[in-house]
Amino acid sequence: SSVSTLGVHESVGEVFPAAVFCDALSAVDPSVQIVGGEGSAGSRGDGENDELAACDALVTFAYEDRFLDADLTWIHSIQAGVDRFPFDALADRNIALTNSTGIHGDVVGETAVGMMLSFARRLHTHRSNQERGEWRKPAWNDAFPLRRESACVVGLGTLGTGIATRASALGMDVTGVKRTPTPVDGVDEVYPPADLREAIGDARFVALAVPLTDDTEGMVSAPELDAMREDAYLINVARGPVVDQGALVDALDSGAVAGAGLDVFETEPLPAESSLWDREEVILTPHAAGFNVEYYERVATIVRENLRRLAAGESLTNRVV
Ligand code: NAD
């Protein structure tokens, strides 16, 4: 049934200003109002002050348990990954959950392949030297061309194909891992998850693009890192717990792998005491691979489409629960 009041949770401000997002929805039928986060003035549940109670649908970045007890019929996550949401509890209460997959393939693909370019062309080292005012050329055998290097992309959805097509465009040999190992454009060979170690064993770059699920948690642990080439780089733009971070630190220490490009971590923000901060062959980004000036408009497009579908009695797109 159609939505009368759509809430925009202030946590969307982690990614774009809530007011800018509301402007992008100015032409929709429901009234759109910003909902304060837990502990804010509007979240006390005291009658007219309870912003959430006025909404029958909510667009949000954060998850809060009080969402379950509001009168929501639909929650939209502005992230593609919805691992923070309790699927069973939402289903029990008939609250639909939709995510924002489908919109990050280009930007996250650019970030992941940008990390590959940086490792190959030593841009990260040059930038570090620049900060110290040092003019220093790389060793003769440090830098390498990306062309004909190999990348294995684990998970071939929106992000994975975004990475694969860009790696392929740079002349790399691309393989991938997919639950149903059917052919994918730009990917030379597709392996099933059971053959993960074989799939990643020959790759100079292993890029992770799977959602965090029971199946993918710890998917890359010590045995997988051992299976990788010693000159290989691990790129994780998926979710931190897909990698056993302690095992990765050990692999970096022992030289089992050459380096890592990491946008996501077991704990975010990455704690100051993490030894990952201080490594030459680690490029860290603060879970920002999807950040771009169009983010709000891309999410608004999904939300507008689902408002239309609800009004027309059609099923939701990007539905997870
Ligand atoms: P998607 O649903 O389009 O793609 C995920 C793919 O992974 C699907 O094709 C699915 O079949 C596959 N998959 C699931 N389990 C698998 C397994 N065990 N082995 C191999 N493949 C498996 O989602 P997406 O938009 O590509 O996003 C993927 C994930 O990346 C999200 O769930 C999110 O956690 C993360 N993400 C991170 C950022 C960022 O800013 N770093 C941005 C967007 C998404």
Side-chain angles (χ1 to χ4, degrees):
S1 63
S2 56
V3 172
S4 57
T5 303
L6 176 69
V8 174
H9 193 262
E10 69 178 7
S11 62
V12 302
E14 293 275 337
V15 185
F16 44 69
V20 169
F21 182 70
C22 291
D23 279 351
L25 293 176
S26 58
V28 302
D29 284 338
S31 69
V32 177
Q33 70 170 50
I34 294 175
V35 172
E38 212 149 38
S40 71
S43 72
R44 288 191 207 108
D46 49 354
E48 64 188 287
N49 217 5
D50 193 352
E51 296 159 349
L52 185 62
C55 302
D56 43 6
L58 186 69
V59 178
T60 187
F61 172 83
Y63 168 75
E64 295 173 358
D65 281 329
R66 68 189 177 109
F67 295 170
L68 294 176
D69 303 317
D71 282 323
L72 300 172
T73 58
W74 167 42
I75 297 175
H76 179 76
S77 160
I78 68 164
Q79 291 189 297
V82 283
D83 43 273
R84 71 173 92 214
F85 290 85
F87 293 1
D88 292 343
L90 291 164
D92 283 348
R93 289 161 179 79
N94 268 320
I95 304 173
L97 175 67
T98 55
N99 71 6
S100 294
T101 190
I103 65 172
H104 296 112
D106 59 351
V107 288
V108 177
E110 287 168 8
T111 301
V113 172
M115 287 170 166
M116 296 178 195
L117 276 167
S118 189
F119 286 124
R121 309 308 316 137
R122 316 307 300 159
L123 302 179
H124 59 306
T125 305
H126 295 316
R127 179 69 203 202
S128 299
N129 291 340
Q130 180 185 342
E131 277 164 13
R132 292 188 290 261
E134 284 175 22
W135 176 273
R136 181 180 303 180
K137 299 197 196 283
W140 71 273
N141 56 355
D142 272 354
F144 57 94
L146 271 191
R147 187 169 144 72
R148 296 208 183 85
E149 287 295 347
S150 49
C152 179
V153 183
V154 182
L156 287 165
T158 303
L159 261 51
T161 51
I163 298 166
T165 52
R166 284 162 183 79
S168 173
L170 289 173
M172 301 176 71
D173 298 325
V174 182
T175 62
V177 177
K178 192 167 173 286
R179 283 181 298 183
T180 43
T182 48
V184 175
D185 275 354
V187 181
D188 303 328
E189 195 166 358
V190 179
Y191 297 82
D195 296 340
L196 177 66
R197 286 178 210 169
E198 187 192 339
I200 64 181
D202 287 333
R204 190 72 190 268
F205 298 98
V206 173
L208 305 178
V210 288
L212 175 59
T213 64
D214 290 344
D215 285 342
T216 64
E217 185 169 358
M219 191 180 202
V220 174
S221 300
E224 289 73 29
L225 292 158
D226 279 342
M228 285 171 63
R229 288 165 49 170
E230 289 185 359
D231 64 353
Y233 292 86
L234 179 70
I235 311 285
N236 188 7
V237 289
R239 280 290 181 272
V242 173
V243 175
D244 178 338
Q245 201 169 289
L248 174 60
V249 167
D250 291 345
L252 291 165
D253 282 341
S254 70
V257 297
L262 306 171
D263 187 52
V264 289
F265 304 89
E266 272 176 2
T267 304
E268 295 177 12
L270 182 67
E273 60 273 18
S274 170
S275 78
L276 287 172
W277 282 106
D278 242 4
R279 288 167 194 264
E280 186 64 36
E281 290 311 303
V282 173
I283 299 175
L284 302 184
T285 51
H287 200 150
F291 270 57
N292 75 94
V293 69
E294 292 175 14
Y295 198 132
Y296 79 93
E297 179 52 37
R298 295 178 182 199
V299 173
T301 301
I302 300 173
V303 170
R304 278 192 296 260
E305 170 63 8
N306 273 336
L307 289 171
R308 187 198 65 73
R309 288 179 181 223
L310 285 172
E314 296 171 17
S315 56
L316 294 165
T317 184
N318 280 27
R319 184 157 183 178
V320 183
V321 174

